[in-house]
Every structure is written in structure tokens, then in C-alpha cells.
Amino acid sequence: MKHHGFDWMKTVVMALGATVLFTLSAFAAFQEDVARDLGVKMATLVAPAGSEWLIDLDAAAGIQAGDLFTVMTKGAPVVHPVSKKVIGTLDETRAVLRVTKVKSGYSYVAVVSSKGELRPGEEARRFAGLPAVFWDYAGDGGGVFAQLQGALPELHWQSYAAAQASKPDQPRPVPGMEPGLIFVFNAQGLGIKDQAFSPLRFYRPEQLGRGPAPAAPSGVSVAAVPVVVPAPSGASIVAPASQAAAVPGSSSPGMFSGLPKIFGGGGSSPQPGPEGVLPGYSQRGGLIVSQMDSKEGVWYGPRMDGQPIGVDVADLDGDGKQEVALGFKDRVVVARVLAGQFEMLADYPVGQSGSALTLDALDLNGDGRAELYLSLVLTNSVRSQVLEMRNGQLEAVVKMVPFFLRKVHLGNEGAVLLGQELNPEIINQSQDFAGPIFRVTRNGDQLQRGATVDVPSVVTLFGFQPFAYDGRPLLARLSVNDKLQVLESSGTTLWESSDYFGGSESSFERPERDQGAGTRYVFLPPRLEPGPGGTVLVPVNEGNRNFTSLRNFSNSHLKAVAYDGYSLVERWRTKPQGGYLGDFRMADADNDGATEIVMLVRFSQGGFLKTGSGNSALLIYEMQ
């Protein structure tokens, strides 16, 4: 006779045990990650470099732009009262340094605060002796706080209770804070920021051990297995199980229903194996991890000199095959990718026309061949161009267009070309674009202003994407501070991200308000694109995002987000990669009949003093 009650209890115990083991294993992995990413590193001050200093650590040691180093002064000895042995010293922080640029073999650091002169040969320690505060906006972060304290014992931690009592209502910088670290914990994960609220690191919920546990034994629903979008060719797109429900406002029964097959919809999805892990993935430390750590499935084009500003895919010569247009600050390259081979077709130098800022392809005159629309600026004057492939070469068929150009997807209309003018008034430094956004039409070899586009007045030509939620028109937008927003048609902000999105190095110079006071940089927000299943595709560049001068992004990925009625939540992302993501597309770039993610990525910035333009490459992520 079977004891069904006992069997049921045994199954529950097994399931709960698996959950506990999952959590403990994930916590251990998280503690290791934090110790590696934020642990103490010993550096030596090498020499001053202008207003900055050089230290002898680089990316090989895990150093990133934004990391904080301290220079300590040894204080009075601490003597044991019984043994009379010196057991330590009462050290004092004499200087705080922030990494601004990471080079090969060394890094630049700026002096954030100092109580005396620095000298070559002095020791600097990363993330040591700094104040640290943990703000818990989820309400249950005590365990995470304890893990952080154990992983980072050299920080001066404020108590958990004191930190919660004094934290602001919403995460934001607090005036008067001394240099240190702020750990912001909420439903989106754990963000680490400095006292100015510049992001340093970020850990997703599943990295914190807060993701779903392994599949429970049959008949017991303890936690769902994470939904992993099948991308077995290198793109590594993962969706947390907590987001696997249907997108609110959508008629789809599940999050991936009705999506293109490359994202796992519209066909049979692979089923989890015996341990609840989908094919192509393994389970390490309680997390579902992609086994795509190699370059397999990612096609890399040849290295190309130049600062990337745009990429697009279209039939440019009317032969029925897709070409890839690669835009750089000083030129445009057209190539074709077939059977894994990169064939250069044309190279058009911009020359003295100005600096290229954006690139888009669109067949505006309806002749079956897409044209290239290039935004250029020269000495505070917009001089955009239209390029066409003629007789195997790129030619400028329209020049000196006095407004910026951008291709934007407008709902059922599809892709349209829009324009906006530069604000001639340099006194207003908060508004570099003038007048409304308008449609652009082509009449022969002339571009003409068309009807205005009904968008909120705060929206500029770059970095926005309209979408609908439950039939309600909304708009996703990147703010001037690289925060992702959702706006109503009236311009009311419904939501703004706490973390940085976007990030662009494409900029032009404008005179300062006072004549003779120099110039300032205007950065164009990167493009947003509609994605499958009602998502919006947003590039994410990580690194030094100085909002007043040149920027330096060293890591990037592409993220798909969807609106749930309250905020834009992540649905999937590509695997993080080293380098600055200059632009992206979803298109059939290699003429194999399948849609791929196409990226133009810069992998290095140039020489010792940025005398070169660095090098970039075209990446094609095959998604099956």
C-alpha cells in the first residue's frame, strides 16, 4: 500500500531543498563576482600626466573607467594590550582618485579629493577605505547587504538600519556626500554608483540569487524554470522567468508567442533537459548560463580605421542583394557579405564637407535602390548629404542640406525620413535643435521639408521611438542625461529609468555662450528601433559618460524592453561585449534569408594621446 501523503511530503522537501541549495549556490557565486569586480587592487602612481596621474594597472587587472582608488597615510600603531604586538595602524585616506581612461599597461586617474601632494611610487588601492551605503528599495535586501559586507570588508559600511532611515525616496545623488560607493537595490537588480551617481557596476536579479530556482519535481510548483530564448549561435539572449508572462496590453498568450522564429516564437521551442536546462546552456552556481563564450556564431568583419557613426542594410545598387553601409566620422564604406566573405564595393571620403554624425538608408524616390542619408556638421553649420551608388561608386547627389536627417519607424507607416534644424542661437545651451520635427520628401535632387510630426516639444530628432500600449500612443525616448523615458503624447513623463541607457560618442562642437570662451560638445542620442513582440531595442554603452566633454565607452550590449503599464522592463539582451556600440540594425545582412543583429563596434580608441581614430568592425549575430 502506497503512502501518498508521505510521498507528497517527500517531494515537497526535495523541492524546498533544491531551492535552498540553488539560493546558497547563487549567493556564493554572487559574492565571488563582487569580490572580483570590486575587490581591492594594488596600484602604483607612475607619473603625473597634466592634471591627472598614471597608474600601472589596466583592463587585464579588471580596471574600468570610474573605478575609485585611495592613497592612504599610515597612522598611529595599534598595540595589543596583552601581547604588546603591533596588530595594525590607524590609516587615514589622504586622496581619492577616479579612473578616467584605461590603456594597455596603464590607466589615467583624476584626483577627486586630496589632502596633500601626490608622489610617484606611492601606493593606491582600488575601492579600499571608502564609505559605502546600501539603499534597499525592494524591502528585503538584508541578505544581499550581508553578502556585500562579506565580499568587500575594506569598505567602511554604514549600518543597514541607518542607511534605510536616511535614503532618499527615489535613488538620486545626495549633495555633500564624500567620495564613496552607493549600492542601490531594487526589483531591477543591484546598481553600484559613486557619490555623483555615475554607474560603476550592475548585477541582475538572477545574479543575486533572486531568480527562479531549478525546476521542481513533477507535481510541485515551487518556481518556474527561466525562459531562455533559443539563440544557439552566439547572441546569448536570456529572458528572466519573472518576465515570461504575456506583455500587458498584448493579445499574445505568452511573451514569445507570435515572435519571429529566430526568437523562439512561431514554432516549437526546445524543451528543457533532465535538469531543467535548455540545450546550448549549462547550470553554473545556480544560474542558467550560455555556453557561447567563444566567437562561434558571431561573424566578425575586417578591422577598419575610424570612429563609427552608423550602419544600415539595404539594396543600394538594385541588384536584389543586400549591401551593408558603414558610416564613420570621415567616410562611408559600402560592402557586401556573402558566404562569410566581406567584399568592399565603395569608399566615399567626406573630405572637407564636415564631420559625419548619422547614417540611414531609405529608398525615398521609389526607384528600387536605397539612398544613403548622411547628417554632417561643419563649423556650427549643418551640411547634410544624400549618397547613391552609381556605376559601382558612391556619389553625393544632394549636398548642403541645412538640416539633420534621421530614419524613424512610425507605426503602420514604417520607416520615414525626418528632419530638424540646428538652433542658431548659441545663448540657449539647453536647446541645440530648433523648430518642430518634420517629414522629409525628395523631388529630383532636392530634399524638401514636409508636414510636421506630432511629438512632444521636448523630443528632438534623435533617440526616440513611438509605440502603442493598449491602443494608447506612447513614446520611448533617451533624455539628454542618457535616461530612458516613456512619454505621453502631451509630453508628460510616465516613467524614467534609474540606470543609464544609450550612450553616444557621436558629437559636434558648438561655441560657448561667451564669444572666445571655447567650444562645447553636443552628443546625439543613439537610435531606438522597434523590436519583435512589441519591444523597443535600445543600445547600452557602459564607461565614462562625461556629459560635457569627450566620452569613452568600453563595454556594450543591445537590450529589448517592453512597456508593462508602469515601466519599460527588459525582455532580452545580447551578450555583453568589449567595445563601443556605434550603431545597430536588425536585417538580413549576409543575404542568407534570415534576420540577424548587425552591429558596428569600435574596439580601440587609437594611440597614446588619441592621435589615431581607433579601429572598428562589423559584427553579425546569427540567430536561429
Side-chain angles (χ1 to χ4, degrees), residues 406 460-465 476-479 525-528:
R406 179 51 111 193
T460 63
L461 181 62
F462 302 100
F464 78 94
Q465 178 57 52
R477 173 205 181 214
L478 287 168
S479 73
R527 75 174 73 251
L528 305 184

Side-chain angles (χ1 to χ4, degrees), residues 36 39-43 57 61-63 69 124-127:
R36 179 193 65 241
V40 174
K41 298 282 186 180
M42 312 301 290
L57 293 183
I63 304 303
F69 281 78
R125 297 189 295 168
R126 186 184 72 163
F127 297 131

Side-chain angles (χ1 to χ4, degrees), residues 7-18:
D7 290 342
W8 178 86
M9 184 177 296
K10 180 179 178 181
T11 304
V12 171
V13 171
M14 290 173 60
L16 292 176

Side-chain angles (χ1 to χ4, degrees), residues 60-127:
I63 304 303
Q64 296 185 19
D67 285 0
L68 299 177
F69 281 78
T70 56
V71 178
M72 311 294 291
T73 297
K74 289 190 178 297
V78 178
V79 181
H80 194 281
V82 177
S83 66
K84 306 302 180 183
K85 292 183 179 180
V86 176
I87 59 177
T89 57
L90 296 175
D91 296 345
E92 180 184 3
T93 300
R94 186 162 62 86
V96 178
L97 314 172
R98 178 176 57 83
V99 177
T100 59
K101 296 184 290 290
V102 180
K103 299 294 184 179
S104 177
Y106 63 97
S107 298
Y108 286 83
V109 293
V111 179
V112 178
S113 66
S114 179
K115 298 178 181 178
E117 292 187 3
L118 300 175
R119 297 179 297 276
E122 285 193 281
E123 181 182 88
R125 297 189 295 168
R126 186 184 72 163
F127 297 131

Side-chain angles (χ1 to χ4, degrees), residues 132-135 145 149 156-167:
V133 59
F134 181 85
W135 292 345
F145 175 68
Q149 283 186 303
H156 297 164
W157 289 95
Q158 186 180 34
S159 71
Y160 178 85
Q164 305 330 302
S166 61
K167 75 177 187 291

